[in-house]
């Protein structure tokens, strides 16, 4: 028996962001129940951590209605919120290996009607790379910076730009990187004042924090 699905359809009115469905731990029957309920309510739905294998098991009519991006493992059922003006968020990564997390943030913003600029592979191992983009990044009130290993990039950016920097530690790395725990601890102990930190690989959470901040900007 498939456990009952109870969607939080009023979340956007209550807290400013809609409910997203974390797909990876769910069975096909559970995902179908989610999609059926969203469809019956006439709601669009953001699907996170949706694997290609899971997508392939869904009925053809649902697959045809889901805008899926494999890099971020996100799907959008239905239409996103129409775009709200020019980009006010910059999404930055230390390396190309961090792009999946960054794109999860980008797609979450897109679903809620916010655009962003993307600046990828500018980690501090080659400091000149980020220096080339500081002026452009600094024009945005919010910066989402994704980095693994020692996660130095968000700290550096928080010391260079005036906007809110949201650091996203990623699980990129090996050995003592420990699945992103070293990156997380590094950001939590950052000397840059005002740096906000979310959990490991949590591009979705970083985007939600940005959306809430923009509502009060």
């Amino acid at each position: 028996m498939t456990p009952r699905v109870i969607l939080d359809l009023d979340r956007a009115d209550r807290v400013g962001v809609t409910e997203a469905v974390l797909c990876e731990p769910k069975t096909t029957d559970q995902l179908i129940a989610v999609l059926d309920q969203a469809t019956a309510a006439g709601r669009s739905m953001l699907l996170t951590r949706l694997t290609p294998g899971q997508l392939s098991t869904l009925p053809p009519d649902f697959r045809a209605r889901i805008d899926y991006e494999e890099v971020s493992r996100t799907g959008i059922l239905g239409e996103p919120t129409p775009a709200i003006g020019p980009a006010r968020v910059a999404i930055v990564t230390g390396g190309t290996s961090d792009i999946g997390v960054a794109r999860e943030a980008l797609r979450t913003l897109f679903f809620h009607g916010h655009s962003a600029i993307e600046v990828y592979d500018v980690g501090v191992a080659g400091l000149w790379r980020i220096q080339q983009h500081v002026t452009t990044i600094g024009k945005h009130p919010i910066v989402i910076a994704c980095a693994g290993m020692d996660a130095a990039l968000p700290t550096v950016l928080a010391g260079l730009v005036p906007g809110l920097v949201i650091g996203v530690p990623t699980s990129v790395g090996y050995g003592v990187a420990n699945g992103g725990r070293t990156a997380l601890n590094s950001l939590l102990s950052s000397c840059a004042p005002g740096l906000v930190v979310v959990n490991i690989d949590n591009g979705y959470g970083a985007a939600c924090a940005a959306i809430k901040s923009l509502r009060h900007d």
Side-chain angles (χ1 to χ4, degrees):
M1 179 178 178
T2 302
R4 184 183 177 194
V5 172
I6 304 176
L7 296 183
D8 188 0
L9 297 175
D10 298 321
R11 184 176 299 183
D13 293 333
R14 192 173 67 250
V15 302
V17 292
T18 63
E19 179 180 18
V21 176
L22 177 62
C23 298
E24 195 167 36
K26 292 181 173 58
T27 66
T28 298
D29 286 343
Q30 289 171 332
L31 290 176
I32 291 173
V34 166
L35 299 174
D36 279 338
Q37 193 171 131
T39 299
R43 298 298 182 91
S44 298
M45 183 65 62
L46 175 64
L47 310 170
T48 64
R49 310 298 167 94
L50 177 64
T51 69
Q54 286 177 306
L55 181 66
S56 70
T57 66
L58 296 176
D61 60 322
F62 280 135
R63 293 202 305 271
R65 293 169 50 209
I66 293 174
D67 171 19
Y68 183 68
E69 183 189 76
E70 188 170 353
V71 173
S72 61
R73 295 187 298 161
T74 58
I76 296 175
L77 174 73
E79 295 297 322
T81 300
I84 308 168
R88 302 178 68 198
V89 180
I91 301 178
V92 188
T93 73
T96 55
S97 298
D98 304 309
I99 289 177
V101 175
R103 292 289 300 184
E104 181 180 84
L106 184 81
R107 293 267 287 175
T108 301
L109 290 167
F110 170 73
F111 180 78
H112 288 88
H114 295 277
S115 57
I117 68 162
E118 301 167 86
V119 181
Y120 294 157
D121 198 22
V122 290
V124 300
L127 196 56
W128 60 270
R129 295 183 298 183
I130 189 61
Q131 289 174 317
Q132 290 182 331
H133 298 279
V134 167
T135 299
T136 298
I137 293 169
K139 293 177 181 177
H140 298 78
I142 298 179
V143 179
I144 296 175
C146 308
M149 298 187 180
D150 60 358
L153 178 64
T155 290
V156 169
L157 279 172
L160 291 173
V161 301
L164 172 66
V165 177
I166 303 172
V168 187
T170 73
S171 53
V172 172
Y174 42 82
V176 296
N178 198 17
R181 290 182 181 273
T182 296
L184 175 61
N185 288 335
S186 176
L187 290 179
L188 289 174
S189 59
S190 171
C191 64
L195 176 66
V196 174
V197 183
V198 298
N199 206 352
I200 300 166
D201 291 341
N202 193 8
Y204 167 75
C208 288
I211 292 165
K212 287 193 169 191
S213 179
L214 287 171
R215 293 182 69 204
H216 300 285
D217 183 37

